Amino acid sequence: MNENKPAGPPEPAVEPTAAASPSNFIRDIILDDQKTGKFQGRVHTRFPPEPNGYLHIGHAKSICLNFGLAKEFAGKTNLRFDDTNPEKEETEYVESIKDTVRWLGFDWEDRLFYASDYFDQLYEWAVQMIQEGKAYVCDLSAEEVRQYRGTLTEPGKASPYRDRSTGENLELFERMRAGEFPDGSRTLRAKIDMASKNLNLRDPVMYRILHAEHHRTGGKWCIYPMYDFAHGQSDSIEGITHSICTLEFEDHRPLYDWYIEALGIYHPQQIEFDRLNLTYTLLSKRKLLQLVQENRVRGWDDPRMPTLSGIRRRGYTPEAIRNFCSSIGVSKTNGILELGLLEHFVREDLNRRALRVMAVLRPLKVVIDNYPDGQVEEMEAVNNPEDASAGTRKVPFSKVLYIEQEDFREDPPKQYFRLSPGKEVRFRYAYFVKCTHAVKDEHGNVTEIHCTYDPATKGGNAPDGRKVKSTIHWVSAQHAVDAEVRLYETLFRTADPGKVAEGGDFTDNLNPSSLEVLTGCKLEPSLANAKAGDKYQFERLGYFCADPDSSPGKPVFNRTVALRDTWAKIEKREKDGK
Ligand code: ATP
Ligand code: MG
């Protein structure tokens, strides 16, 4: 599985299915390559995460693009861990990344690779470059290398070690590998052009000395290749055709091409596209790691995190994420998309699949005075109006119920059509119910309300044709399941959380009310044994997903997304400066 794979035999080109997703410039390049016979019609992509954190929604864009294009053209996609930096990488991240790619619905089959699989080959190639006068050992410190590099307006200065003899270079590089020198004391550099307009071509570092244990190669190496010296060659070894990456690598492409040409090996084509950015969201593993380390969130899979493990726990579905990624397309300029757009796709998907249930988050007790004591009726409720095959269920109705506190007002404003003294509403799937009076505690707070019901309205309609203006949800008190429900707002309160005042930190932009935990919520009994990951629409409230913290009889739910756009509200509050 981990052997160096040459570019496999050419595979037949296939006509792409025109109806798939909207075209984009990368797809157009592939279509063009198919016409001209470049890569013999093969499409072989790769997703190359560095295992230094959990994947986030930005990575989903790259995953969907790489696996999606390969699938469309009957090609292949490799999963390759770019593990050239031993200090920040961990096996935990490798496992979570594999799990997440699978969850998103993609399969790398037997093509799981690691850049570290190629360390021996890369070392040989470095030696080859020294022998051909294309690389040299440099004794400048990292700081000096920076100083010598010059700027965008000034050319760089040659290192005093640039003209070492091949023999000396070979000997020093071998001794670097043998561990004779301390970290940072020497590097191997490519001999390109210190006056190049592209700073990446000013004798870039190929290898650095780092006495560090690697998660896979252990203590075998104390020199490690730089990303640029590893990435293109890894693509080449694996026979990748289109090496798709984000725009910040555009300036690295000349170097990518230079190494491949200098080594005379198979040449994949690098193509850059725009990074996904979302409002109210940070997509940087380094910053997400900081949030985890500083306990600003409950871990990488905190449902407020933009990590795929976080939004999965929150209840986002892989289908919703894939639909979102396919709708946003790719371009050559970075921008920021509205978080509301992602939420739109989540709602759209959950609307199709989530079962409707009744749950009361902030309960107010209701006593139906004319309902027989001890009587329980099983009301027939529709599981999913979008999906007839989901069927119906029975929900118990009895004399004492809970409704939402906000569905009752003692002094209702004009447009308030829910319960208030003297007003009648429909209790979903049950009866017309009219409020008679409220009971209060010594502080004047309403503790319960009393009502009457009209037995002739069973099922929700009055034989005399009278109408009510609203329908509210309820849960029978004696049958209710107590639950904890976690409500989320955006993790950051500013639309561009990367923007910080001088001397500040992005954590200053954290939203202090991003998490609200409600306990004593009342759920209909069918939810008693909800399993982690089960998704529902709590009628009138939003979509909710059972959290792994649930235990039998004690469910914990995350609000995935509210029913309507909370978006507008958040923006308004922002504007009002509240
Ligand atoms: P971060 O900046 O979050 O650390 P990264 O680019 O360092 O991300 P990698 O593990 O190197 O993360 O990324 C793997 C692949 O995912 C790369 O091809 C990278 O270009 C792509 N990718 C990372 N972030 C985004 C994003 N926001 N939008 C689209 N693609 C992304
Ligand atoms: Mg990176």
Side-chain angles (χ1 to χ4, degrees):
M1 202 158 73
N2 294 328
E3 83 274 29
N4 292 355
K5 272 204 174 170
E11 286 153 35
V14 287
E15 278 299 308
T17 45
S21 38
S23 203
N24 62 59
F25 77 93
I26 301 181
R27 196 168 166 273
D28 292 343
I29 291 174
I30 296 179
L31 283 170
D32 217 49
D33 291 345
Q34 305 252 299
K35 276 197 210 111
T36 61
K38 190 173 175 186
F39 306 119
Q40 294 83 44
R42 285 189 312 122
V43 174
H44 198 151
T45 59
R46 84 286 170 265
F47 174 63
E50 185 181 351
N52 61 348
Y54 282 57
L55 297 181
H56 52 61
I57 182 75
H59 292 111
K61 175 174 177 176
S62 173
I63 295 170
C64 290
L65 192 60
N66 278 294
F67 281 90
L69 285 168
K71 190 169 174 207
E72 182 181 347
F73 291 93
K76 294 176 177 160
T77 305
N78 296 359
L79 175 60
R80 182 199 316 138
F81 288 101
D82 238 319
D83 57 350
T84 52
N85 184 359
E87 285 176 313
K88 290 185 181 158
E89 293 159 1
E90 285 177 34
T91 314
E92 175 199 345
Y93 299 139
V94 169
E95 290 312 314
S96 94
I97 289 170
K98 291 199 294 198
D99 184 49
T100 301
V101 175
R102 265 189 227 109
W103 174 74
L104 261 186
F106 298 107
D107 185 3
W108 56 90
E109 297 171 335
D110 59 351
R111 294 177 306 279
L112 171 63
F113 301 108
Y114 295 84
S116 56
D117 294 340
Y118 312 136
F119 281 174
D120 285 301
Q121 174 69 76
L122 290 169
Y123 181 81
E124 276 173 38
W125 277 334
V127 169
Q128 178 189 327
M129 283 180 52
I130 295 173
Q131 284 163 340
E132 293 173 0
K134 294 171 186 163
Y136 62 95
V137 172
C138 178
D139 300 359
L140 294 179
S141 67
E143 183 48 37
E144 288 164 328
V145 168
R146 234 187 322 274
Q147 285 165 6
Y148 277 65
R149 187 178 296 135
T151 64
L152 284 173
T153 49
E154 282 167 48
K157 262 192 330 192
S159 159
Y161 307 97
R162 200 171 197 260
D163 292 319
R164 273 181 163 144
S165 70
T166 302
E168 190 183 0
N169 279 323
L170 285 173
E171 185 210 318
L172 283 172
F173 188 49
E174 175 52 36
R175 289 172 63 196
M176 278 168 64
R177 177 195 187 162
E180 289 188 29
F181 309 121
D183 288 359
S185 58
R186 288 192 158 92
T187 54
L188 183 71
R189 297 176 66 180
K191 201 177 204 176
I192 309 182
D193 178 5
M194 289 309 291
S196 172
K197 288 234 165 1
N198 185 328
L199 269 65
N200 292 310
L201 294 179
R202 294 186 187 169
D203 290 11
V205 172
M206 294 162 57
Y207 268 91
R208 65 223 160 108
I209 303 174
L210 206 58
H211 292 263
E213 285 279 311
H214 185 277
H215 77 120
R216 298 191 83 235
T217 57
K220 176 173 174 187
W221 297 92
C222 62
I223 54 172
Y224 289 94
M226 300 302 287
Y227 171 87
D228 283 322
F229 189 66
H231 195 85
Q233 287 90 318
S234 304
D235 285 344
S236 179
I237 290 167
E238 293 174 14
I240 299 303
T241 54
H242 303 85
S243 177
I244 304 169
C245 60
T246 34
L247 283 173
E248 69 272 23
F249 293 104
E250 199 164 16
D251 286 348
H252 293 247
R253 182 167 13 106
L255 181 56
Y256 180 106
D257 293 340
W258 191 90
Y259 282 134
I260 300 267
E261 292 302 320
L263 293 169
I265 56 179
Y266 163 77
H267 199 150
Q269 181 184 355
Q270 178 178 307
I271 304 169
E272 309 85 15
F273 70 97
D274 59 321
R275 281 182 94 82
L276 171 67
N277 293 299
L278 287 172
T279 53
Y280 297 90
T281 308
L282 278 177
L283 298 179
S284 145
K285 282 183 283 184
R286 187 178 57 76
K287 288 177 180 157
L288 298 179
L289 175 65
Q290 186 181 335
L291 295 176
V292 173
Q293 284 175 337
E294 293 178 2
N295 295 317
R296 310 281 190 154
V297 291
R298 293 178 173 186
W300 283 102
D301 68 346
D302 186 303
R304 291 167 293 179
M305 290 280 269
T307 52
L308 292 167
S309 54
I311 61 186
R312 172 184 183 177
R313 181 168 180 177
R314 182 158 169 164
Y316 285 29
T317 58
E319 292 82 358
I321 296 168
R322 292 200 304 262
N323 292 343
F324 166 74
C325 289
S326 109
S327 88
I328 60 177
V330 288
S331 83
K332 274 285 187 188
T333 37
N334 282 322
I336 302 188
L337 286 179
E338 297 225 342
L339 180 60
L341 183 64
L342 173 59
E343 293 182 337
H344 163 78
F345 281 95
V346 174
R347 273 189 208 100
E348 188 187 63
D349 186 53
L350 290 176
N351 180 45
R352 265 195 296 268
R353 68 178 68 240
L355 299 184
R356 274 57 170 173
V357 292
M358 293 198 283
V360 172
L361 300 190
R362 295 179 175 88
L364 171 63
K365 194 168 158 190
V366 176
V367 182
I368 316 266
D369 289 318
N370 62 338
Y371 195 83
D373 288 338
Q375 176 172 308
V376 176
E377 285 179 276
E378 297 287 339
M379 301 303 188
E380 174 123 338
V382 174
N383 285 331
N384 185 354
E386 302 289 320
D387 175 10
S389 73
T392 59
R393 70 188 183 288
K394 301 282 189 201
V395 186
F397 184 88
S398 66
K399 186 183 181 83
V400 182
L401 309 159
Y402 291 112
I403 63 167
E404 295 290 343
Q405 287 167 15
E406 63 175 27
D407 283 338
F408 172 79
R409 290 278 189 93
E410 200 175 18
D411 296 308
K414 244 199 175 142
Q415 293 298 311
Y416 190 85
F417 298 118
R418 292 171 262 172
L419 269 184
S420 56
K423 283 267 177 58
E424 188 174 50
V425 300
R426 178 187 295 108
F427 274 34
R428 183 107 162 120
Y429 301 122
Y431 295 102
F432 281 14
V433 172
K434 188 182 215 166
C435 177
T436 53
H437 65 282
V439 177
K440 295 184 197 171
D441 64 14
E442 68 268 30
H443 308 292
N445 301 315
V446 174
T447 54
E448 63 179 52
I449 61 171
H450 286 252
C451 299
T452 57
Y453 83 117
D454 177 355
T457 59
K458 185 161 182 183
N461 289 301
D464 63 9
R466 76 181 189 278
K467 300 275 180 235
V468 287
K469 283 219 164 106
S470 77
T471 301
I472 65 174
H473 62 278
W474 49 270
V475 172
S476 164
Q478 72 179 103
H479 303 94
V481 176
D482 268 11
E484 176 179 323
V485 175
R486 300 171 183 167
L487 303 180
Y488 302 104
E489 285 182 15
T490 55
L491 186 53
F492 294 98
R493 54 196 163 91
T494 53
D496 181 5
K499 206 165 93 193
V500 285
E502 225 177 276
D505 184 75
F506 74 92
T507 53
D508 300 343
N509 294 327
L510 282 164
N511 176 2
S513 44
S514 59
L515 169 65
E516 183 181 4
V517 178
L518 302 177
T519 53
C521 304
K522 306 291 182 183
L523 313 183
E524 67 168 65
S526 70
L527 294 180
N529 296 315
K531 289 188 305 296
D534 286 354
K535 295 169 182 65
Y536 298 93
Q537 184 193 103
F538 289 2
E539 292 212 24
R540 301 176 63 226
L541 299 174
Y543 294 98
F544 291 76
C545 179
D547 190 83
D549 289 347
S550 301
S551 52
K554 290 197 134 193
V556 176
F557 275 92
N558 297 307
R559 183 172 65 196
T560 309
V561 65
L563 276 189
R564 259 181 292 274
D565 236 4
T566 45
W567 186 247
K569 268 195 226 157
I570 294 167
E571 270 197 329
K572 180 167 185 307
R573 196 177 46 211
E574 191 98 314
K575 271 200 207 99
D576 298 347
K578 279 185 221 151

